[in-house]
Amino acid sequence: MFSSEDIYMSVDTGRTWSVENSGLDPSEDIISTTLAVKGDTLFAGTETGVFCRTSGEKSWRSAQGNVPNNAVWVLCSSSDAVYAIMGRGLYRTRNSGMSWTLIDSNSTWHLNPSTLLVQDSVIIAGIGIGYNSNVSTNLGVTWTAGHIGSTHSSVNALVLGAGALYAGTSEGVFRSLDHGTTWTAVSAG
């Protein structure tokens, strides 16, 4: 769990919580929606980059690798990598942040990125109002701008479940059965 200034951790399924900020600059805010887990490593995005800590470690360490210090908008993990929208680009690391590969520097990444989901070769990013999603079916080689709901809808969450992709938007929940190509409303918001 996190607030704008602290990361809270629980080791007893939520009965007790402790602030776990050691290694982070106390003047930085922990930007919301920027925690990701890969194996036994927890990643956190801040105003100046990515930090991580492995289970059992008591302090955060930089996972910025070869990327300039940028605000981290969104983090997510897949079965083999961690992805981050930082500055104006989408990046991937497969070695716990020692090095990052720029996947795409599309100019829309800075337009209120809100959520990111990666599964197999599909990457779907919620990027705010208007063309509120970017979809790639080939791990970022090509992209299609799309709409989930109307052009006034913002995408707040993306999750996989029961063979479908779900998007939580300002207009309700939408479902896609074709990797985000088409969407159907399943609730009103």
Side-chain angles (χ1 to χ4, degrees):
M1 183 167 71
F2 55 93
S3 70
S4 65
E5 297 174 358
D6 296 312
I7 294 179
Y8 293 86
M9 296 182 78
S10 175
V11 294
D12 57 9
T13 62
R15 285 188 299 244
T16 61
W17 294 85
S18 60
V19 175
E20 299 290 337
N21 290 348
S22 179
L24 296 175
D25 183 336
S27 67
E28 294 179 14
D29 283 341
I30 306 301
I31 301 170
S32 64
T33 67
T34 59
L35 295 175
V37 176
K38 175 76 177 102
D40 68 345
T41 303
L42 177 63
F43 293 83
T46 72
E47 292 177 337
T48 60
V50 180
F51 290 82
C52 70
R53 68 186 265 176
T54 302
S55 178
E57 290 182 329
K58 299 294 183 194
S59 184
W60 294 91
R61 57 187 155 72
S62 175
Q64 198 61 25
N66 57 323
V67 178
N69 291 345
N70 282 309
V72 179
W73 301 107
V74 180
L75 286 171
C76 83
S77 61
S78 70
S79 61
D80 69 338
V82 174
Y83 294 79
I85 299 176
M86 296 185 266
R88 291 181 179 248
L90 174 63
Y91 296 84
R92 175 183 58 230
T93 182
R94 289 193 165 119
N95 56 16
S96 295
M98 291 173 34
S99 64
W100 292 83
T101 301
L102 177 64
I103 296 173
D104 187 62
S105 59
N106 180 328
S107 62
T108 62
W109 291 121
H110 70 285
L111 298 176
N112 298 319
S114 56
T115 187
L116 186 65
L117 181 74
V118 179
Q119 183 189 29
D120 301 324
S121 62
V122 177
I123 302 173
I124 301 176
I127 55 170
I129 296 174
Y131 285 100
N132 59 15
S133 66
N134 277 346
V135 178
S136 174
T137 58
N138 52 20
L139 281 177
V141 175
T142 59
W143 293 89
T144 303
H147 293 288
I148 302 172
S150 76
T151 58
H152 301 291
S153 177
S154 60
V155 179
N156 303 312
L158 293 165
V159 294
L160 289 166
L165 174 65
Y166 293 89
T169 76
S170 57
E171 295 179 342
V173 177
F174 289 78
R175 178 180 59 215
S176 175
L177 299 173
D178 56 9
H179 301 294
T181 303
T182 60
W183 296 88
T184 303
V186 293
S187 80

